[in-house]
Amino acid sequence: MSITRRKFLSWLGAATAGTTLGNTANAASNKHFSGYPNSMGVLFDNTRCIGCRKCEEGCNTVNELPAPERPFDDLSVLNTRRRTDAKTYTIVNRYDAVSNVKIKGPLYRKVQCNHCLEPACASACFVRAFSKTKKGAVIYDASVCVGCRYCMIACPFEIPTYEYDSAFEPRVMKCTMCSPRIEKGLLPGCVEVCPTEALTYGKRTNLLQVARARISKFPDRYVNHIYGENEMGGTSWLYLSAVPYKEVGMREDLGVTPAPKLTAGALSGVPIVVGIWPVLLTGIYAMSKRKEKIANTETKLAVAAAVEQANTEAKANLKSEIEAVNKMKQKEIDNAVKKALEEAAKPKEEEDSDAQPEKAEKKPSEEGS
Amino acid sequence: MSDEAATTGKPLLTPFNVIAGIIVVLGLIVTVLRFTVGLDAVTNLSDYNPWGIWIGFDLLVGVALAAGGYVTSAAVYLFGMKKYHSAVRPAILTGFLGYTLVVIALHYDVGRPWRLPYPFIMQRGTTSLLFEVAACVALYLTVLFIEFSPAAMEWLGLKRARKLVVRLTILLTIFGVVLSTLHQSSLGALFLIAPAKLHPLWYSPYLPVYFFVSSIIAGLSMVIFESTLSHRYFADKMDAAHLKEKDTVALGFGKAASLVLAGYFIIKVIGVSEGNNWHLLSTNYGLWFLVELLGFVALPCFLYAVGVRDKNIKLIKWTAAWTVLGLVVNRLNISLVAFNWHLPASERYFPHWMEIVITVFLVTLGVLAFRFIVTRMPILYSHPDYEDH
Amino acid sequence: MEESIHTLQEYMFHTESITYILIIGALLGITFFWLFLSQRDDDEE
């Protein structure tokens, strides 16, 4: 299936989204993508590989990689299990114990980027440094790479490597399927030099037919499984093997789910959170605000009631106080009258009563306190 | 650390200052090495192990432990739990410093740190969860900075600017929760693309949910843990409200953490069942998984519950520290221990001592920055000129 | 300039890019919509 679209290069590209969406709407909702038609691939047949390391040398030459520590004709390096690194895009490993009796001697496995139809590295890259070309190569653009190395986490084949020794311009290094060469119509470096035709370059669809033909022609020679046909959604590199693939160090537990599908669910959760969370949170906020308001009103009412009660009590107190004061005043007046009367009666007996004025002085001071 | 170290104007040569000084000097030396010679000189990273402790600890643990900011501000401003108000500012400060350190750590880890804005200004890799994480972390750091700014403005006496920011509180809090939900979960979702490399007991389609829920637990526990340390070393900076609410916060947050841990335990068990991984529990990795699940999820869940029921503040505090440790174990399990489990031991990663130096260096910077700020700005006390906020 | 989408990766890049634009719009939009919605609320708050 293919969906027409306009070139989508930037945020501004979204302005054209209307027409694009119009086109996608024609497609079935259950979308399936089978990759670029006529894209190329390479078939590796391990029953034909003799472990000569010529492909390593060819790769090294055409990609202008640094010279290896030990020369390519030194086959003793096959005694150790190696992997690709920042200076080596492809390596060949030897596997001695072989379960297929038809095969005499060891089997070899060539390791390089498998050029997935749906590359995990491209899906994982947050600057789109990786892209799948129409010809089938997965290529890398060092000019935008930040160096987060998430591509290396994502790749199920552990292919991307990193120039850890470079302080200023470290790059991710991996096989490019000789993309510059195949664009020019040349063969990938490794395929060109392979002396035994263990490597076949061609259209991926054709290679699948070739592989099937070999299996049906020599059913004893091959396991009935083309590695890369479906692994991780399919790869541009395909493999034929005399033994189950895990015996030559290839993982058979990767599944057939293309990498972008693995994260599609999590990605589609993002806009849902953005859409629903603010509504939910504002709702919770409004509820707590309302609760607070009710609580406040209740408090206010309670306070008002308390104040009123206090007021009535205070009024009552005031009344009684006023009464008390009035009573005292009355008493004072009474006393004053009494005193005046007594004083009026005094002159007659002034000499014998010394205690009287003392008493009169004391009284007002008591009232003042 | 001694009490003298906590206050300014006291002798400089305290044991804390001496140790911090040594770490800072070492850290600076390794920093120079890292940026002049390259990653190879200071790390054990390899083509099999592209992510080490700078991602596993500094990024994954750092972001989770900084979750206290959004958890506390949501509780107080959105859920209306005003009684925890005194916990907001320390939590926001911890969050802000945490995220700042995460971003600094990323500068060490990525190959070309000066290109960190590239995902936004050059090409947007929108299919990458790392793009989502990067966008949210960048935005959330901004939100945290604004949320933290009133404290700095009170310190500097910028009344008008502060008033403006305070009016945005609710909006900022909601944005903070949205952004945190997204990037906390996306950090877990980063590993969804590598089912072939992460051990099935840890790999689950629920990874984003696990990361989000455990970040809430980490946030709650970190608030308790941080308040315990603050009370120990900066008690003289605390006002009456902080001292009074300290135990309320421990009880309330402990209760919340216990409940969330219970939910987390349930969904973790469901994850094992959904992945049909029961049989793996009897393997070595399974035992380690059970240690994490029972020792660092079920146990703290129970201890928090006991602590809350018995009003045992001491138990709650120790449980908080244990839970924080459990979060560290979980994040390291996913990023390092259970990652690349299929590889032979010789190809596995163990951090270079200089990687550890940088991590310790960054944590020390965080502690120093925290001390610098709480001894100057109104974090653990309310500024007398500004009522309530 | 018409091209075809042949891979899931390209397709997801296309849809996700639009999604992110919508997300930015949604965050801004919901904020202003809330202001519009509660502008005439009687109570002071």
Side-chain angles (χ1 to χ4, degrees):
Chain A
M1 188 196 78
S2 73
I3 293 167
T4 33
R5 60 149 188 171
R6 281 171 189 276
K7 220 167 188 154
F8 195 94
L9 285 178
S10 67
W11 292 126
L12 288 175
T16 63
T19 48
T20 324
L21 286 172
N23 288 327
T24 41
N26 296 331
S29 59
N30 190 11
K31 294 177 182 64
H32 177 72
F33 301 90
S34 41
Y36 292 104
N38 303 323
S39 78
M40 310 302 279
V42 177
L43 173 66
F44 172 75
D45 185 336
N46 71 9
T47 65
R48 297 184 178 197
C49 181
I50 53 166
C52 64
R53 297 187 69 208
K54 284 277 189 292
C55 52
E56 290 185 32
E57 187 173 14
C59 174
N60 180 281
T61 311
V62 301
N63 289 299
E64 293 165 2
L65 296 170
E69 277 172 40
R70 286 154 83 180
F72 288 109
D73 52 13
D74 178 359
L75 296 184
S76 66
V77 297
L78 293 171
N79 293 334
T80 54
R81 189 65 37 86
R82 295 177 300 151
R83 64 154 291 149
T84 57
D85 59 41
K87 297 180 177 72
T88 332
Y89 288 167
T90 186
I91 53 102
V92 173
N93 277 333
R94 187 180 68 209
Y95 294 84
D96 289 319
V98 169
S99 62
N100 189 329
V101 288
K102 290 265 177 187
I103 301 296
K104 289 168 188 71
L107 280 175
Y108 300 91
R109 173 204 176 190
K110 181 177 179 298
V111 182
Q112 77 297 305
C113 176
N114 284 325
H115 301 276
C116 303
L117 301 184
E118 301 288 354
C121 51
S123 174
C125 183
F126 69 164
V127 285
R128 284 199 295 139
F130 290 94
S131 50
K132 178 87 176 166
T133 68
K134 282 181 207 161
K135 286 268 187 193
V138 176
I139 54 168
Y140 162 77
D141 175 6
S143 73
V144 290
C145 179
V146 181
C148 69
R149 307 185 298 281
Y150 187 31
C151 49
M152 298 165 69
I153 292 283
C155 178
F157 303 107
E158 294 158 337
I159 291 304
T161 64
Y162 201 62
E163 294 181 315
Y164 289 106
D165 54 353
S166 167
F168 301 109
E169 355 185 74
R171 293 167 297 173
V172 169
M173 302 296 277
K174 77 167 196 68
C175 158
T176 62
M177 209 163 122
C178 288
S179 185
R181 286 171 61 87
I182 62 176
E183 295 294 339
K184 278 189 253 170
L186 298 168
L187 288 173
C190 54
V191 178
E192 196 175 58
V193 297
C194 180
T196 61
E197 287 183 27
L199 294 168
T200 317
Y201 175 79
K203 272 187 197 169
R204 185 174 183 271
T205 42
N206 294 349
L207 292 178
L208 281 170
Q209 284 173 345
V210 169
R212 277 203 198 92
R214 284 190 202 165
I215 292 173
S216 53
K217 203 169 175 189
F218 306 104
D220 300 342
R221 217 176 144 85
Y222 298 105
V223 291
N224 188 13
H225 176 187
I226 306 167
Y227 194 98
E229 184 177 11
N230 297 311
E231 272 74 12
M232 292 303 289
T235 59
S236 289
W237 275 71
L238 300 166
Y239 298 83
L240 279 175
S241 174
V243 295
Y245 291 92
K246 66 172 176 233
E247 287 182 34
V248 286
M250 295 165 79
R251 295 189 65 174
E252 292 180 317
D253 59 346
L254 297 179
V256 297
T257 312
K261 273 227 167 97
L262 293 168
T263 52
L267 279 172
S268 57
V270 170
I272 297 303
V273 169
V274 173
I276 293 302
W277 246 217
V279 174
L280 199 71
L281 294 170
T282 312
I284 291 173
Y285 169 66
M287 280 194 280
S288 74
K289 197 83 193 164
R290 191 179 144 66
K291 241 165 125 187
E292 198 184 316
K293 217 174 136 191
I294 292 172
N296 276 346
T297 322
E298 276 170 3
T299 320
K300 257 181 215 161
L301 286 176
V303 167
V307 166
E308 202 171 324
Q309 200 187 339
N311 276 346
T312 19
E313 270 170 28
K315 264 181 202 159
N317 280 346
L318 199 63
K319 215 174 169 185
S320 59
E321 233 160 83
I322 289 171
E323 270 167 21
V325 169
N326 283 347
K327 237 180 226 169
M328 266 177 216
K329 279 239 169 92
Q330 194 57 49
K331 214 173 166 188
E332 214 175 313
I333 293 167
D334 288 351
N335 279 343
V337 171
K338 205 174 160 192
K339 206 171 149 191
L341 286 176
E342 272 169 12
E343 236 146 79
K346 224 177 209 173
K348 296 172 193 171
E349 34 188 333
E350 209 168 19
E351 290 93 44
D352 34 297
S353 60
D354 274 28
Q356 278 297 34
E358 214 177 292
K359 208 180 171 186
E361 255 170 57
K362 206 177 173 185
K363 261 221 168 126
S365 75
E366 258 177 7
E367 256 170 47
S369 71
Chain B
M1 204 204 283
S2 70
D3 281 347
E4 290 94 325
T7 47
T8 47
K10 295 269 173 82
L12 278 173
L13 279 178
T14 60
F16 171 80
N17 283 356
V18 169
I19 295 169
I22 293 169
I23 293 171
V24 169
V25 169
L26 265 176
L28 289 174
I29 293 169
V30 178
T31 301
V32 170
L33 268 178
R34 154 69 187 91
F35 289 108
T36 54
V37 188
L39 284 165
D40 217 17
V42 296
T43 71
N44 275 345
L45 297 175
S46 67
D47 293 330
Y48 278 122
N49 304 290
W51 285 359
I53 57 164
W54 291 349
I55 296 293
F57 186 87
D58 297 28
L59 173 67
L60 297 184
V61 174
V63 166
L65 294 189
Y70 88 87
V71 172
T72 315
S73 55
V76 172
Y77 295 131
L78 299 182
F79 297 9
M81 303 178 180
K82 294 261 158 73
K83 58 180 170 175
Y84 306 130
H85 193 272
S86 66
V88 171
R89 275 205 178 165
I92 298 243
L93 175 62
T94 313
F96 174 59
L97 291 176
Y99 276 86
T100 308
L101 292 173
V102 164
V103 173
I104 296 175
L106 285 179
H107 282 76
Y108 284 82
D109 185 77
V110 303
R112 306 196 202 195
W114 51 92
R115 285 182 173 181
L116 274 171
Y118 272 27
F120 312 116
I121 60 171
M122 294 296 281
Q123 295 193 122
R124 286 146 293 271
T126 50
T127 56
S128 171
L129 278 153
L130 201 57
F131 177 79
E132 207 276 326
V133 171
C136 282
V137 168
L139 280 174
Y140 187 49
L141 185 59
T142 316
V143 168
L144 275 171
F145 176 72
I146 303 174
E147 283 189 305
F148 162 73
S149 65
M153 288 166 176
E154 287 170 17
W155 180 51
L156 299 168
L158 305 170
K159 293 198 179 183
R160 198 173 297 166
R162 177 197 173 274
K163 206 173 163 190
L164 191 81
V165 175
V166 168
R167 281 178 61 190
L168 293 173
T169 302
I170 298 302
L171 183 72
L172 288 172
T173 307
I174 292 178
F175 270 42
V177 177
V178 171
L179 293 170
S180 295
T181 309
L182 291 178
H183 72 260
Q184 295 284 0
S185 58
S186 291
L187 281 175
L190 285 181
F191 293 91
L192 286 178
I193 205 160
K197 294 184 181 176
L198 184 56
H199 190 280
L201 279 171
W202 281 273
Y203 184 91
S204 159
Y206 300 134
L207 265 177
V209 183
Y210 291 160
F211 267 57
F212 173 59
V213 174
S214 55
S215 84
I216 298 174
I217 297 163
L220 292 167
S221 303
M222 210 38 204
V223 168
I224 302 173
F225 182 63
E226 177 269 316
S227 113
T228 310
L229 293 182
S230 289
H231 184 246
R232 186 141 169 215
Y233 299 109
F234 305 113
D236 57 321
K237 293 284 163 197
M238 291 183 158
D239 64 8
H242 279 77
L243 292 170
K244 203 179 74 197
E245 285 178 18
K246 193 171 57 69
D247 289 355
T248 321
V249 169
L251 283 171
F253 278 42
K255 191 172 183 182
S258 179
L259 187 64
V260 183
L261 275 164
Y264 183 58
F265 179 82
I266 291 170
I267 58 174
K268 285 285 270 188
V269 174
I270 288 174
V272 177
S273 177
E274 286 276 304
N276 198 25
N277 292 323
W278 296 110
H279 64 287
L280 293 173
L281 290 177
S282 57
T283 62
N284 283 339
Y285 275 101
L287 290 178
W288 181 235
F289 180 82
L290 286 175
V291 168
E292 187 195 317
L293 183 67
L294 300 177
F296 290 103
V297 179
L299 180 68
C301 172
F302 177 70
L303 291 180
Y304 265 136
V306 172
V308 171
R309 282 168 57 99
D310 297 351
K311 308 246 180 306
N312 184 344
I313 303 291
K314 203 172 175 188
L315 178 61
I316 292 178
K317 285 174 177 175
W318 280 107
T319 309
W322 185 251
T323 313
V324 168
L325 181 66
L327 190 280
V328 176
V329 169
N330 171 257
R331 296 302 194 260
L332 292 184
N333 275 348
I334 287 166
S335 60
L336 302 174
V337 178
F339 193 81
N340 273 341
W341 66 290
H342 61 288
L343 291 179
S346 58
E347 302 290 355
R348 297 299 302 277
Y349 163 86
F350 191 84
H352 193 281
W353 67 267
M354 287 202 254
E355 290 180 80
I356 299 173
V357 164
I358 290 297
T359 294
V360 174
F361 167 61
L362 291 174
V363 173
T364 309
L365 284 188
V367 173
L368 290 175
F370 188 86
R371 189 179 74 165
F372 178 86
I373 292 171
V374 296
T375 49
R376 282 164 182 80
M377 300 181 196
I379 303 294
L380 301 173
Y381 60 95
S382 301
H383 196 290
D385 293 358
Y386 305 88
E387 224 176 78
D388 187 52
H389 182 76
Chain C
M1 277 307 284
E2 290 283 317
E3 262 182 51
S4 292
I5 292 181
H6 290 281
T7 63
L8 177 62
Q9 166 59 21
E10 282 292 293
Y11 172 76
M12 278 179 58
F13 170 65
H14 173 72
T15 54
E16 284 300 319
S17 297
I18 297 171
T19 302
Y20 273 105
I21 297 168
L22 293 178
I23 284 176
I24 296 167
L27 280 175
L28 293 174
I30 195 83
T31 309
F32 289 110
F33 182 72
W34 170 250
L35 291 176
F36 170 72
L37 183 66
S38 49
Q39 200 176 25
R40 294 190 184 169
D41 283 3
D42 299 328
D43 42 36
E44 67 290 3
E45 74 94 17

